[in-house]
Amino acid sequence: MGPLWKYIPTRLWGFSGHIQTIIHSIIGRVKCPWPLGERVYLALTDGSTLTYDLYQPLINGVEDDITVAICPGIGNSSESVYIRTFVHYAQCHGYRCAVLNHIGVLDSVQVTSGRIFTYGHTDDYSAMINHLLKKYPTTNIVSVGFSLGGNLISKYLGEASRPKNIIGGVSICQGYNAVVATQWLLKWQNFHRFYLYVLTENVKSIILKHRHVLLADDIKQRYQLNERDISAAATLPELDEAYTRRVHNFKTLKDLYSWSSSLNYLANIKRPMVFVNARDDPLVPDTLLNPIREFTNSHNQSLYIELANGGHLGFYEGGLIYPNPVTWLDRALVSLIGGIVMSHNDLLVAKGSLTTTVI
């Protein structure tokens, strides 16, 4: 293992997945830059207002035109600190970045239809990709997803034929199977119910923040919604029963979770894919990792990277107490994107559609 891939967690607390996860949730990243970009607004056919933030590369002279299309985790956006850190780091390496803002998350953007984001709805990400290709028709795209976003980009790439400009994807810390994941998070051991409570309150707060639209009388009547049931929901399954399943027209929660799970779409992905997980991730129990281990062993266009430590989206490294500003995950992601680009270019050379100059 070379120095780029070597991971040495912050010594005092970096070997605890719980502490890594909690610090990531509360603090995010240290000395986090705020990258400058432009916000793009899209009016979708269902009446929703979708936004994504676009950031240009910070160095010139990069030969390849690459756009990193980022899908954040549940309740996150371009304003989340871990997203900002990665975007800035990717910009410094010559990549354009586009970050999807999940509908309902940003306080500054009003919800204009009867829905917000959900676990398996990939149309929003697809709309961002299509708009990017109108702006930059010759760019190559690498899809990157964090947690829920990892599930969404994997499902997106496996659902149907996708634009040829997408040359690969990287998924970080997703759970792959929402049916099994929910069952595990309902258990009390290893603080699973604590994390489930936090996730539930996060989604619930988004719904209630936009209640004047999402819980308007006509919407409640159309989907048979009860605001008291939504407010009283103590777990995601309860909240999904009271809200998500109804709005997205599923008969049962199991139907919703099966439809949402990327595991059911992985075999149809036609692009190189990298999956990254940590064994001490308290939100993704080890049993959820067996299917991706088996899948990548039998599919030669996929790579699975599993670390002993890192928690959920943490991967802090260096130092005794204070970690480095850039995490192992930031470094590894930029390296993986570069590897996908190099592999794509090598394939084009082999096919004779790309020429190389030797100096």
Side-chain angles (χ1 to χ4, degrees), residues 14-32:
F15 294 91
S16 167
H18 291 292
I19 296 178
Q20 287 247 19
T21 301
I22 291 169
I23 289 178
H24 161 78
S25 302
I26 297 175
I27 300 174
R29 300 290 188 249
V30 295
K31 299 181 181 178
C32 178

Side-chain angles (χ1 to χ4, degrees), residues 63-64 344-346 348-356:
E63 186 175 344
D64 297 301
H344 174 73
N345 289 343
D346 289 345
L348 292 180
V349 170
K351 290 181 177 179
S353 55
L354 183 71
T355 59
T356 58

